Amino acid sequence: MDTVLTRSNTATRFVGITAFYDRRVALGLSVAELADRAMMTEDEIECIEEGGTAPTVALLRRLAAALEADVRLASGHDLGSVRFEAHAA
């Protein structure tokens, strides 16, 4: 199953973080468990899930690995579309 992050307006730096959240929940991971997998703090994970930060490409790759997924970026000058794709079985 693919999960997509989209940018919807300028008021929110990076909207659609639900893709990130949805993938975490689909794996049955708590914030603490994902933070441990990604070698981050719970506060950092929560900040991303709440849209309080615009993740870099490097961070998206790190999160994808922790979420057992690949990250796909759309072409363009910003992070208008990001997809987390579960690893093939």
Side-chain angles (χ1 to χ4, degrees):
M1 179 168 128
D2 295 349
T3 310
V4 178
L5 300 177
T6 58
R7 182 180 208 157
S8 65
N9 63 43
T10 56
T12 304
R13 293 178 72 193
F14 200 70
V15 180
I17 300 299
T18 55
F20 175 71
Y21 170 84
D22 290 347
R23 181 68 185 147
R24 177 177 67 77
V25 171
L27 291 173
L29 297 174
S30 67
V31 170
E33 290 167 324
L34 179 57
D36 186 53
R37 283 182 174 207
M39 297 186 323
M40 299 173 70
T41 68
E42 291 179 47
D43 286 343
E44 289 169 326
I45 297 297
E46 289 172 348
C47 185
I48 294 167
E49 286 188 352
E50 293 168 2
T53 187
T56 63
V57 172
L59 179 55
L60 289 171
R61 287 183 177 144
R62 179 185 196 184
L63 293 169
L67 291 168
E68 301 172 9
D70 295 315
V71 64
R72 304 281 186 235
L73 305 176
S75 61
H77 64 281
D78 66 1
L79 294 175
S81 179
V82 175
R83 183 181 314 255
F84 286 107
E85 297 175 352
H87 293 295

